[in-house]
Amino acid sequence: METQLQNEVTFYQDVNVTVTQSRYVTNSKTYAMRNISSVHIFEIVKSKTLPIVMVILGGLMLLSEASRVLGFILLAIGILILVLIKNEFTVRISTNAGEVNSIVSKDRLYVQNIVNALNDAIVFRG
């Protein structure tokens, strides 16, 4: 087994992920490359409904003198949430057991690098 690991080609490695010709290792799981049929990047879209409702209610409350302060606070919090909310990206792999999201990050480039490495490993495997 030692000689097999020494001959393994590593396509990507960081603190959380390792992609080699024979395995894909994440924080919580190890996948055999032979079981992965395809891989792609998938965007998880975050709902913006609540902050939009907060902005609308806050704006309406600004029209009434009695609720102006609360309206301003609600409006400000809603806008802040809208600015800070970001979609997440995941490495979605297809195996014989179905599709699985393995690594989730707000950084699209990070996820894309892992997807590229997995595709390289699939091609290398043949």
Side-chain angles (χ1 to χ4, degrees), residues 55-64 67 71:
V55 167
I56 292 169
L57 286 176
L60 291 173
M61 291 171 81
L62 288 176
L63 301 175
S64 167
S67 61

Side-chain angles (χ1 to χ4, degrees), residues 32-44:
M33 288 303 294
R34 68 179 174 273
N35 294 335
I36 298 175
S37 56
S38 70
V39 60
H40 65 277
I41 191 167
F42 181 77
E43 186 172 5
I44 301 168

Side-chain angles (χ1 to χ4, degrees), residues 7-11 20-22 33 117-126:
N7 293 334
E8 220 170 18
V9 177
T10 301
F11 293 92
T20 70
Q21 69 195 38
S22 60
M33 288 303 294
L118 284 164
N119 281 322
D120 291 344
I122 289 170
V123 168
F124 182 86
R125 183 187 76 213

